[in-house]
């Protein structure tokens, strides 16, 4: 048994997760699940990156402490990973004690090697990327990597002697061609390092949110030095090291292409200096784009995964992400593409095949897996295409070609469909001379479907389990074996349990008209995003006609969290006549809310007002401004809003029922 240690990047807690973040974690989860099914001893780590200037500023902008922001956002990550079926073994937060201790230990080893020197950093800093850039690298005065604004920094700093590792790094890339994947990214890194490395500033003194230097606490660690260390600190590197000894070096550090330089240049150099083994592979994936630009919060073009999960479920999202993106390259997200995949591959091809096969077993074989005959269980018509799909998926997933691997399974799904059409088991069942053959035909289809369940389990774990249950198998395919192809394991006589459709069809037209595609660059797709924008466009009475009112029960109503809020600041949103940006104290936390009440209220008239806020609404970005909640207001027939307030003072944060 070999060990397999896979990691995701640790996510910044300045903001809630979006589909881009979900993608990196889903890929890591698919790899972890796949390697478990190969029989490997898997360790899968994810977590959050909680220090640095970006988070300090983001928290200040919300009137919160950085740790309060981190505590809040980390919950969003936990909840999202649960919904997406992510099977990580550990979740590290860089504000944990074990992490801090580990960072000290690595630092001490590098210090002892003589690779840390004190000096002064003067140059540019990009808070968006948390990266230093010399003047010569700026493009139009902006950060060369992502076009973020940069700031001038001049401060005392400790430097890591990165320049010393230029040659050893190049040597490592040369002798370990597999170290950086894919090849194109490897070439980029090789040419970056070949063009010369400067020593790297690894401490900051101009703000406080970080791990202080043990010997000189006015310095805090540069956030990337702190963050990269997570891959070993999570393995109890400063503690008893059992996990470290068992799993380090990592087999795959999975990262987006934007952060490859940190992982393929800085991290191995730190490790070399600390005298620790290097990870086996750094794998850089492409970006999910909207309108040819990276989906990103600052551009207001993110897709909110929870809304997609509500609508389509985890399997469909996971399948889409893995199938649609040729791994390593960029891909464009659209609702249409997602729904097309769901309808054609999942509902139509696989879902219909399963329900058709199970229905035939019900009617022609009394609802039990047919006997077939022994020879069919050893080898039959469907054995070769099933074996080909099995071997095809396993070899492609090993080569990180997830889309290609899944395509192999869908070739098999078509082969099973064709086989059923050709053999016409429904006719055989009614024909006395065909009774003998209907069993073997349906046995084969059911057995091939069992193997389809096994193959899709890393990507669509819930549906795979559902498929097995319908075939009457109580085990979870996630515990199945992908290390060797085995045909004929489905026990004849086993009662099947045909249930609900595995993948319901999505009414694309209805969905798209209900939820308009967001315009990249203007507004998030944090669905439902429509109301505020709709209001900007046309004025409609808020109350729908009586015939459209649907009743909710008390539990549904309770899911909506309503709280008393006190307005502490308000201003207009530039370029949006009707919108105000309002800061509301909802009890120990100040929320920013964007509301379409500027027609009726001047910002200053709102100060101190007590209002009712929906506090568990999915955050949205409206006209490029983040809105985390909604205030309640009555709307008259002309569309003017009157806010809901209280007769007498109530403490902010009180719940409203
Ligand atoms: N905190 C650092 C990583 C430190 S690892 C020691 C960071 N965090 S992040 O939250 O900004 O991004 C985490 C991951 O999400 C990166 O791998 C990034 O590439 C990925 N994505 C963010 N937006 C993305 C897309 N639009 N598409 C695909 N993935 C992208 O960087």
């Amino acid at each position: 048994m070999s060990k397999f240690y896979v990691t995701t990047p640790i996510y910044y807690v300045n903001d809630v997760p979006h589909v881009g973040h979900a993608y990196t974690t889903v890929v890591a989860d698919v790899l972890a699940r796949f390697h478990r099914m190969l029989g490997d001893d898997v360790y899968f780590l994810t977590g959050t990156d909680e220090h640095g200037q970006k988070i300090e500023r983001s928290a200040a902008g919300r009137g919160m402490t950085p740790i309060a922001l981190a505590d809040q956002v980390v919950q969003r990550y936990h909840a999202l990973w649960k919904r997406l079926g992510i099977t990580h073994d550990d979740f590290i937060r860089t504000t944990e004690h074990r992490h801090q201790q580990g960072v000290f230990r690595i630092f001490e080893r590098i210090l002892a090697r003589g690779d840390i020197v004190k000096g002064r950093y003067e140059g540019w800093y990009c808070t968006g990327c948390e990266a230093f850039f010399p003047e010569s690298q700026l493009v139009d005065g902006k950060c060369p990597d992502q076009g973020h604004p940069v700031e001038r920094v001049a401060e005392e700093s400790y430097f890591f002697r990165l320049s010393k590792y230029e040659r050893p790094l190049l040597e490592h890339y040369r002798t370990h061609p597999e170290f950086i994947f894919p090849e194109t990214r490897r070439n980029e890194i090789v040419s970056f390092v070949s063009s010369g490395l400067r020593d790297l500033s690894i401490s900051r003194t101009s703000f406080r949110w970080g791990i202080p230097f043990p010997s000189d606490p006015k310095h805090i660690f540069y956030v990337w030095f702190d963050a990269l260390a997570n891959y070993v600190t999570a393995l109890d590197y400063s503690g008893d090291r059992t996990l470290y000894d068992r799993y380090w070096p990592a087999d795959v550090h999975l990262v987006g292409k934007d952060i490859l330089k940190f992982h393929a240049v800085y991290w191995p150099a730190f490790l070399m200096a600390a005298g620790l083994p290097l990870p086996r592979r750094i794998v850089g994936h492409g970006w999910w784009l909207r309108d040819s630009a990276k989906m990103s919060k600052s551009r207001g073009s993110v897709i909110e995964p929870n809304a997609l999960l509500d609508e389509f479920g985890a399997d469909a999202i996971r399948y889409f992400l893995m199938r649609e993106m040729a791994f390593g390259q960029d891909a464009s997200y659209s609702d249409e593409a997602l729904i097309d995949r769901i309808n054609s591959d999942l509902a139509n091809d696989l879902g219909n095949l399963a329900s058709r096969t199970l229905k035939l077993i019900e009617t022609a074989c009394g609802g039990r897996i047919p006997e077939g005959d022994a020879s069919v269980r050893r080898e039959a018509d469907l054995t070769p295409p099933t074996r080909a799909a099995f071997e095809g998926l396993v070899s492609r997933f090993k080569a990180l070609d997830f889309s290609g691997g899944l395509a192999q399974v869908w070739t098999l799904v078509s082969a099973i469909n064709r086989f059923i059409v050709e053999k016409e088991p429904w006719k055989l069942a009614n024909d006395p001379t065909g009774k003998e053959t209907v069993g073997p035909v349906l046995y084969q289809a059911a057995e091939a479907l069992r193997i389809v369940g096994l193959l899709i389990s890393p990507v669509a774990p819930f549906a795979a389990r559902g498929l097995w249950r319908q075939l009457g198998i109580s085990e979870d395919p996630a515990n199945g074996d992908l290390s060797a192809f085995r045909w004929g394991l489905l026990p004849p006589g086993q009662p099947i349990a045909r249930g609900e459709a595995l993948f319901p069809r999505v009414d694309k037209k209805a969905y798209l008209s209900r939820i308009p595609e967001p315009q990249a660059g203007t507004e998030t797709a944090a669905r439902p995003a429509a109301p505020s924008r709709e209001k900007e466009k046309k004025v409609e009475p808020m109350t729908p006609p009586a015939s459209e009112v649907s009743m909710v029960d008390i539990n549904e109503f309770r899911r909506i969290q309503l709280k008393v809020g006190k307005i502490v600041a308000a201003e207009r949103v530039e370029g949006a006549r009707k919108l105000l940006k309002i800061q509301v104290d909802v009890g120990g936390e100040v929320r920013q809310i964007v509301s379409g009440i500027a027609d009726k209220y001047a910002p200053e008239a709102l100060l101190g007002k007590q209002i009712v806020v929906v506090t568990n609404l999915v955050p949205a970005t409206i006209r490029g401004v983040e809105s985390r909640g909604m205030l309640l207001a009555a709307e008259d027939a002309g569309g003017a809003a009157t806010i809901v307030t209280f007769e007498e003072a109530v403490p902010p944060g009180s719940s409203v029922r």
Side-chain angles (χ1 to χ4, degrees), residues 334-345:
S334 78
D335 283 345
E336 279 206 79
L338 169 62
I339 297 174
D340 286 345
R341 279 279 175 212
I342 295 175
N343 283 345
S344 76
D345 300 11

Side-chain angles (χ1 to χ4, degrees), residues 269-315:
F270 295 158
L271 288 167
M272 283 176 182
L276 301 177
L278 306 196
R280 301 231 155 87
R281 244 178 160 198
I282 317 286
V283 171
H285 64 69
W287 284 341
W288 284 96
L289 306 177
R290 289 200 67 91
D291 289 353
S292 317
K294 182 184 175 212
M295 185 187 290
S296 92
K297 191 81 193 181
S298 50
R299 287 193 192 93
S301 60
V302 297
I303 303 291
E304 212 288 305
N306 278 298
L308 295 184
L309 282 161
D310 289 344
E311 205 68 52
F312 308 114
D315 288 313

Side-chain angles (χ1 to χ4, degrees), residues 9-12 18 20 49 224 231 256 258 285 287-288 294-295:
I10 48 173
Y11 299 96
Y12 287 130
H18 62 68
D49 191 351
W224 273 100
Y231 301 125
D258 47 328
H285 64 69
W287 284 341
W288 284 96
K294 182 184 175 212
M295 185 187 290

Side-chain angles (χ1 to χ4, degrees), residues 8-15 17-25 47-51 54-55 77 94 128-130 146 223-231 254-260 262-263 267 283 285-290 293-297 299 301-302 325 330-331:
T8 72
I10 48 173
Y11 299 96
Y12 287 130
V13 287
N14 61 316
D15 234 319
H18 62 68
V19 160
H21 306 127
Y23 175 69
T24 317
T25 306
T48 40
D49 191 351
E50 304 191 352
H51 290 132
K54 176 148 82 173
I55 286 145
Y77 276 98
T94 53
C129 300
E130 296 281 19
Q146 299 209 46
V223 64
W224 273 100
F225 185 92
D226 162 350
L228 287 161
N230 92 88
Y231 301 125
L254 193 69
V255 300
K257 63 179 184 182
D258 47 328
I259 56 173
L260 192 63
F262 301 94
H263 285 82
W267 179 226
V283 171
H285 64 69
W287 284 341
W288 284 96
L289 306 177
R290 289 200 67 91
K294 182 184 175 212
M295 185 187 290
S296 92
K297 191 81 193 181
R299 287 193 192 93
S301 60
V302 297
M325 187 181 258
D330 292 344

